[in-house]
Amino acid sequence: MGHLRFFLIRQSFRRGEQALRERDDRTAEDHLRQSLAKEPYCVPVLDLLAELEYRRGHDEACRKLCAKALSVDAYDPAANYIDGLCALARNDVLTALERLGLAAYSPLFRAAAHAKMAKAYLRTGDAARALVQARKCREADANSIDGFALAVLALRARLQRLHLARRDLGDGDRLEVDEGRSLTVEGGKRAVRGEALPVNRPQREHVAPGRR
């Protein structure tokens, strides 16, 4: 009976996974719910259902499924990644960075997680850390368009900030740049501190790669 039960759970899971890739959400949910009824704490099934609820915009249902999966495996990369996207959608940057940081340990999610962390730092106006994450994204995937675009945005924000600081310099002042994170004017007034980038409104991010 144990082998038969495992086979039925796996069969429903595979059918649900395929339907999700084909964007047949209703069929996918039916098969995944069947698997979950047989094994309520099956982490791969919970991950796919969380992805489905996230795509539908049902953040609360998604977060509950992620929490259930993480109660089994706190380092599950898919649950951490999707929960991080939910946190970004509600502009909870600290939670998003924590979840995405854990997801980045997985090679499958590494490039995407670093890209999302770069976006999170840009929201807070920290272009220096955003640039670090964009570079890590490019290290994980040299062909990542998101990594390249985010690096350009971060560099542009740092250049804008440097331009503002130079504009405020007085006679005899000297500008010091500490890895792009702080600008100080010596011999006179203090220059602009913090990144000169407006905070963006929360936007819904895409779900992990390889799940389309």
Side-chain angles (χ1 to χ4, degrees):
M1 287 298 292
H3 292 292
L4 178 61
R5 181 169 173 270
F6 174 78
F7 173 77
L8 293 175
I9 294 172
R10 183 179 178 85
Q11 184 182 52
S12 297
F13 169 75
R14 291 303 180 192
R15 288 177 177 174
E17 183 180 39
Q18 184 61 35
L20 194 63
R21 288 174 177 171
E22 295 172 355
R23 298 285 182 160
D24 187 353
D25 291 353
R26 181 173 296 180
T27 301
E29 183 176 19
D30 289 342
H31 287 301
L32 293 172
R33 294 290 181 190
Q34 289 175 17
S35 293
L36 204 63
K38 297 180 179 68
E39 180 50 68
Y41 285 89
C42 182
V43 172
V45 176
L46 291 168
D47 290 342
L48 290 184
L49 278 173
E51 178 183 336
L52 178 60
E53 296 294 355
Y54 175 80
R55 283 183 0 192
R56 289 172 171 175
H58 301 162
D59 286 358
E60 286 302 319
C62 176
R63 291 174 61 192
K64 289 179 180 178
L65 290 164
C66 288
K68 194 172 183 179
L70 293 172
S71 70
V72 179
D73 180 6
Y75 295 95
D76 176 50
N80 275 299
Y81 183 82
I82 297 170
D83 198 38
L85 297 187
C86 284
L88 276 181
R90 63 181 186 274
N91 211 27
D92 185 356
V93 175
L94 291 178
T95 300
L97 290 172
E98 179 184 358
R99 297 300 189 207
L100 294 170
L102 290 171
Y105 284 105
S106 167
L108 178 62
F109 292 89
R110 186 167 297 149
H114 283 303
K116 298 301 184 291
M117 283 191 282
K119 290 184 179 181
Y121 280 122
L122 283 174
R123 285 187 184 181
T124 64
D126 193 340
R129 284 194 172 97
L131 182 58
V132 170
Q133 295 301 325
R135 285 172 175 168
K136 288 182 178 180
C137 173
R138 296 275 291 170
E139 289 173 3
D141 181 4
N143 297 318
S144 172
I145 297 176
D146 283 345
F148 178 79
L150 288 163
V152 170
L153 288 173
L155 284 170
R156 186 177 66 179
R158 293 178 67 182
L159 288 173
Q160 288 174 348
R161 178 165 161 259
L162 185 59
H163 173 72
L164 289 174
R166 283 177 175 170
R167 187 184 62 184
D168 291 337
L169 284 175
D171 294 336
D173 290 342
R174 182 165 60 89
L175 179 66
E176 289 190 354
V177 182
D178 178 18
E179 295 295 327
R181 291 188 54 94
S182 62
L183 300 178
T184 304
V185 177
E186 291 189 354
K189 56 187 175 180
R190 187 171 298 273
V192 179
R193 300 190 65 85
E195 306 292 347
L197 189 73
V199 177
N200 299 324
R201 294 180 60 187
Q203 295 180 354
R204 185 159 297 278
E205 307 290 347
H206 296 294
V207 187
R211 294 277 177 98
R212 295 287 184 260

